[in-house]
Amino acid sequence: MQDIKKNCYSCRYYNRYYTRGVKEFHQTNFGFCFKKEKNIVGCKACENYEYRKPKKNQKILCVCLNSLLTQISEIRKIFEAAERE
């Protein structure tokens, strides 16, 4: 089994702060620890570390996005066919 780094940024109680950019959000090195109930730096070692389970929504999101893109492509084909006529 892999050695898991017990840093705060990979702990289930850590919630990272983000700053808003022009086109996207940027990660900061700071966040809130729900166990300690205070702001902390994310690269410190955590004594209250618990493994954060990966989210399963990624697969569902990909399926939904694929479906939406297919529908948009079909609508585009209908508009292109109507424009040719």
Side-chain angles (χ1 to χ4, degrees):
M1 193 166 150
Q2 297 177 356
D3 292 332
I4 299 173
K5 294 182 180 178
K6 294 186 176 185
N7 293 330
C8 286
Y9 63 82
S10 61
C11 179
R12 77 180 309 176
Y13 299 114
Y14 181 73
N15 192 7
R16 185 183 298 270
Y17 293 135
Y18 292 87
T19 57
R20 185 174 181 178
V22 176
K23 294 184 178 180
E24 59 192 23
F25 288 93
H26 304 285
Q27 293 182 350
T28 62
N29 291 334
F30 301 97
F32 185 79
C33 179
F34 291 103
K35 197 73 163 179
K36 296 178 185 177
E37 297 182 347
K38 64 179 186 176
N39 296 323
I40 56 171
V41 178
C43 54
K44 289 185 177 179
C46 184
E47 61 272 357
N48 298 319
Y49 181 84
E50 281 192 34
Y51 178 70
R52 179 184 297 181
K53 295 179 185 176
K55 295 182 179 177
K56 296 180 182 180
N57 296 341
Q58 190 74 17
K59 187 174 182 179
I60 296 170
L61 180 64
C62 289
V63 170
C64 290
L65 284 176
N66 188 25
S67 174
L68 286 172
L69 289 173
T70 303
Q71 291 174 6
I72 290 171
S73 296
E74 292 300 319
I75 292 171
R76 187 188 76 210
K77 289 177 185 177
I78 291 170
F79 281 129
E80 287 175 350
E83 195 174 294
R84 280 188 235 127
E85 293 176 356

